[in-house]
Amino acid sequence: MRKYIIADNQELTRFALESLLRKDEENVIYRAFDRSGLVDLLREHESAAVLLDYTLFDFADEDQLLIIAERFNLSDWLLISDELTPQFIRRVVYSSHQFSVAFKDGPMSEIREALQAVGNHTRYLSQRALEAIITQQQEEEKPDLLTQTETEIVKAIAQGKTTKEIAAERFSSIHTITTHRKNIFRKLGINTAHEAVKYALRAGLIDPSEFYI
């Protein structure tokens, strides 16, 4: 027997989840309609599996969610929503092994697999959730290639401006602009202004219609 708490304020979703869960007659199902009610049910059933649409519940932020999950550390949680941000998914998944993730608009096979996994105290992450985590991690690890000043100088170089002209526009010395230029070429792995134009075009810094490479 497994106890489930459905914490979802969409009536259709509640009905669908209950229908899937009741295929096993031994399952016991409870409903929570707000955070307070969810906590009360978890006090009575500490090892229950919670099926939660976080986006429709009255959590102030993910910290509240994580605190409750830590408080009831025997519980399992399946976060099932239409949309969850990559930052949110990564935060909760990395914070606790209690959390599984699936999406309402995913295939029915994924929902069944997720429910089965959570019923067996096993974590489940849908393919979309895994991709969101990986993408978020790559974004956080990717350094800004050029500073704002360097980006502006690349744009000026691509527009055909000389070092002297760029220095005058920026109220800088020629030496300063020359140093920036060297740093830019080093960071981009290029050697010529021609290559700088190509980079500016790819990065959308200049209008392609103005240049012929």
Side-chain angles (χ1 to χ4, degrees), residues 79-182:
L79 303 178
I80 175 169
S81 302
D82 286 320
E83 191 64 47
L84 295 169
T85 66
Q87 296 92 332
F88 173 85
I89 296 172
R90 186 165 182 253
R91 170 94 190 277
V92 297
V93 166
Y94 280 19
S95 296
S96 173
H97 194 73
Q98 292 170 261
F99 290 100
S100 297
V101 181
F103 292 90
K104 290 182 179 179
D105 57 353
M108 181 60 69
S109 58
E110 280 192 353
I111 304 300
R112 290 195 181 97
E113 289 173 7
L115 291 174
Q116 183 177 6
V118 171
N120 294 323
H121 304 280
T122 303
R123 168 180 275 185
Y124 179 88
L125 298 175
S126 69
Q127 184 63 34
R128 180 174 161 190
L130 288 170
E131 290 173 357
I133 292 170
I134 293 170
T135 299
Q136 176 65 19
Q137 184 170 339
Q138 290 174 339
E139 287 297 318
E140 290 184 1
E141 291 176 350
K142 184 172 62 178
D144 291 333
L145 194 58
L146 300 178
T147 66
Q148 181 63 35
T149 296
E150 289 169 342
T151 299
E152 292 171 358
I153 292 174
V154 166
K155 183 176 180 179
I157 293 172
Q159 291 171 336
K161 295 177 182 177
T162 65
T163 299
K164 184 177 180 180
E165 289 171 333
I166 297 171
E169 286 184 356
R170 301 187 63 83
F171 303 100
S172 299
S173 68
I174 292 177
H175 173 74
T176 297
I177 300 303
T178 299
T179 300
H180 278 307
R181 183 185 175 107
K182 289 179 180 178

Side-chain angles (χ1 to χ4, degrees), residues 77 106 155 201 212:
W77 297 67
K155 183 176 180 179
L201 285 168
Y212 177 77

Side-chain angles (χ1 to χ4, degrees), residues 146 150-151 153-161 166 181 184-185 188 190-213:
L146 300 178
E150 289 169 342
T151 299
I153 292 174
V154 166
K155 183 176 180 179
I157 293 172
Q159 291 171 336
K161 295 177 182 177
I166 297 171
R181 183 185 175 107
I184 290 165
F185 282 24
L188 298 181
I190 61 177
N191 299 290
T192 67
H194 185 75
E195 291 174 308
V197 174
K198 288 184 176 180
Y199 170 82
L201 285 168
R202 290 195 301 269
L205 301 178
I206 55 177
D207 185 351
S209 64
E210 299 178 13
F211 295 87
Y212 177 77
I213 303 300

